[in-house]
Amino acid sequence: MISLAYCFKTAVASLRSAKLRSGLTALGIIVGIAAVIATFTIGSSFTGYFMDELDTQGSNYIVVFSFQQNLFRDAQLDVIRNTPGVTGVAAEISKVGLVSFANGEKNLSISGMHEAAVEIGSIPIYEGQMYSDKDTYVAVVGKDTAEDAFRREIGLRNTIDITLYNSETREYVTESFKVIGIVGTDRTDMLSGSGEYTMIFIPMQTMQKMTGEKSYNLIYAMSDSREDINETSDEIKKRLARSLGVSERDLDDNEKIPFMVINQAEILELVGTLTGTLQLFLLAIGGISLVVGAVGIMNIMVVTVTERTREIGTLKALGYSSNDVLLIFVVESIVISCIGGLIGTVIGLIIAYIGTSYLGISMAIPISGLLVGTGLSVLVGVLAGAQPSYRAAKMNPVDALRNI
């Protein structure tokens, strides 16, 4: 049996004799593998980014959403605070208010939050400090808002005026707030425009006084450990439902529960599902390109076999077996596919680098993605070259030599 080295040499010589045809044949493989590699790399980078982001937001946090107005009050806050496994609780009331500063006005998100929210949500303090629950007319401003919302940058000890609508008196209330802190980071990636960098925080009691609100939009809680976070979430759900008059038998019926409890573990799972679905969608597109590339290789190999009929007859007349001829043409198909796969891998990594740089996230190169790309290249080469190679191997040497 002939050696693989000889088959490889023959394949390279054949490809060099028809460079344009070989390049166009490999194009489909290049596009397909590039799509696969770029998808794997960007998807892994994106997932890693979100995992890191969630870790920085606190490893054990639980969020309770209300689906109804006036649902969560101090009684519900106490229920969550007294739940076993809960080490911290903070509530939030969010409104859109008119903020005035440096002769400018802008509608911005205003959040009344308890002091504990900084620890529970790991909100990054950029400058200054967070207020305490005893403070009144002080504010902590998101870094993006402080730098970009007005003509002049908001700094520590500056005064801003905030106007909010009071639902009890049905009047607008305006108060002046001294800025004592800035929250955010220096990172400028496209995905970091999170709420705390744009929102303005004020003490909860001041928010309630200005708006007349007694209920909370959200409640944040911290579990004492990540391992027990699901059990703690379930216990919060049971106790909260009981306090709101929801029977225990209805706990599994989401339509009968006016709130939702979600924790970090569930968010991580959701992120993984979403990025996985996106990857599958993009991989399907790459798979279509690979199929097109495989058809191209098959067509060109059929043409090659037809053009080299005399050569095949000569090889068989010289004593080459059918398996030898089969191997020569299969290796040629694999070489075309692997060259396309190599070029596609490089292009895919370049695309992934450009994409992750544009988004401002670190590029993570998954070894599994590179292995998949390499494996697909070889597989496509074998499958696409199988039928034409088999046809060449089964040729009768006499008929092949006669067909000149």
Side-chain angles (χ1 to χ4, degrees):
M1 186 173 180
I2 59 174
S3 67
L4 287 175
Y6 174 80
C7 293
F8 180 76
K9 228 172 172 184
T10 303
V12 172
S14 174
L15 296 177
R16 290 180 65 182
S17 66
K19 296 184 181 68
L20 180 60
R21 184 179 67 186
S22 301
L24 293 174
T25 303
L27 186 59
I29 302 298
I30 292 172
V31 173
I33 295 298
V36 170
I37 295 298
T39 298
F40 262 96
T41 305
I42 294 177
S44 298
S45 302
F46 209 64
T47 301
Y49 168 84
F50 273 111
M51 298 304 179
D52 292 341
E53 280 293 290
L54 289 171
D55 276 337
T56 61
Q57 294 296 313
S59 59
N60 309 322
Y61 70 84
I62 300 168
V63 184
V64 186
F65 297 89
S66 168
F67 296 145
Q68 295 180 4
Q69 293 286 340
N70 302 316
L71 186 67
F72 295 152
R73 293 178 176 267
D74 288 335
Q76 282 67 48
L77 199 63
D78 290 336
V79 166
I80 296 175
R81 183 180 288 113
N82 296 324
T83 300
V86 173
T87 58
V89 176
E92 175 184 345
I93 298 176
S94 294
K95 299 290 181 180
V96 174
L98 182 66
V99 180
S100 303
F101 176 73
N103 296 322
E105 294 182 340
K106 187 164 284 190
N107 286 313
L108 299 171
S109 294
I110 312 297
S111 178
M113 292 189 76
H114 289 118
E115 173 186 0
V118 172
E119 180 184 359
I120 295 173
S122 297
I123 299 174
I125 302 295
Y126 183 75
E127 277 187 288
Q129 63 185 23
M130 189 65 177
Y131 51 74
S132 73
D133 288 334
K134 295 179 181 179
D135 289 327
T136 52
Y137 296 102
V138 294
V140 173
V141 182
K143 186 171 181 288
D144 295 342
T145 293
E147 293 178 347
D148 303 325
F150 300 95
R151 288 181 298 175
R152 183 158 62 88
E153 185 174 325
I154 300 175
L156 297 181
R157 294 181 294 279
N158 283 157
T159 298
I160 59 175
D161 292 334
I162 298 177
T163 302
L164 293 167
Y165 180 73
N166 189 300
S167 58
E168 287 186 336
T169 63
R170 297 185 179 181
E171 295 177 346
Y172 286 94
V173 178
T174 301
E175 298 288 354
S176 295
F177 290 79
K178 180 181 178 181
V179 177
I180 63 170
I182 307 292
V183 293
T185 66
D186 281 324
R187 195 176 58 194
T188 57
D189 61 78
M190 286 184 62
L191 302 175
S192 67
S194 50
E196 66 264 20
Y197 303 165
T198 57
M199 193 172 283
I200 295 177
F201 298 122
I202 63 174
M204 177 61 76
Q205 61 171 329
T206 305
M207 171 64 90
Q208 289 178 319
K209 181 179 178 181
M210 291 181 67
T211 62
E213 296 282 349
K214 298 296 185 289
S215 62
Y216 306 116
N217 303 122
L218 297 173
I219 297 177
Y220 303 92
M222 179 181 286
S223 171
D224 57 8
S225 72
R226 181 178 291 188
E227 290 72 25
D228 299 329
I229 194 168
N230 286 321
E231 289 77 6
T232 303
S233 295
D234 291 341
E235 188 63 27
I236 288 175
K237 185 177 180 179
K238 289 178 184 177
R239 292 182 175 223
L240 205 53
R242 192 183 307 129
S243 75
L244 294 171
V246 179
S247 64
E248 194 164 335
R249 66 173 178 273
D250 292 330
L251 284 177
D252 295 328
D253 189 346
N254 293 329
E255 293 184 359
K256 294 184 178 180
I257 300 179
F259 63 87
M260 179 176 69
V261 181
I262 187 167
N263 61 53
Q264 187 200 33
E266 293 169 331
I267 294 173
L268 290 174
E269 183 180 349
L270 178 61
V271 169
T273 301
L274 291 175
T275 54
T277 302
L278 179 62
Q279 277 188 306
L280 285 175
F281 174 73
L282 295 175
L283 284 174
I285 297 175
I288 294 173
S289 299
L290 282 177
V291 171
V292 173
V295 172
I297 290 178
M298 185 179 295
N299 287 338
I300 209 66
M301 290 304 296
V302 169
V303 173
T304 301
V305 168
T306 302
E307 288 180 346
R308 294 166 65 183
T309 299
R310 183 178 181 182
E311 179 186 340
I312 294 169
T314 302
L315 290 173
K316 288 210 159 189
L318 291 172
Y320 283 75
S321 67
S322 295
N323 287 337
D324 292 336
V325 175
L326 178 68
L327 187 61
I328 288 172
F329 283 92
V330 168
V331 168
E332 183 172 328
S333 176
I334 293 174
V335 168
I336 294 175
S337 196
C338 286
I339 290 174
L342 179 61
I343 297 172
T345 297
V346 173
I347 293 175
L349 290 175
I350 292 173
I351 293 172
Y353 175 77
I354 294 172
T356 53
S357 297
Y358 180 70
L359 293 172
I361 61 179
S362 300
M363 186 172 85
I365 302 176
I367 301 300
S368 59
L370 299 180
L371 293 176
V372 166
T374 303
L376 283 176
S377 298
V378 175
L379 181 63
V380 167
V382 171
L383 295 179
Q387 193 277 335
S389 301
Y390 180 79
R391 175 185 167 191
K394 291 302 179 182
M395 278 188 180
N396 185 296
V398 176
D399 293 337
L401 287 171
R402 187 185 299 126
N403 187 23
I404 302 175

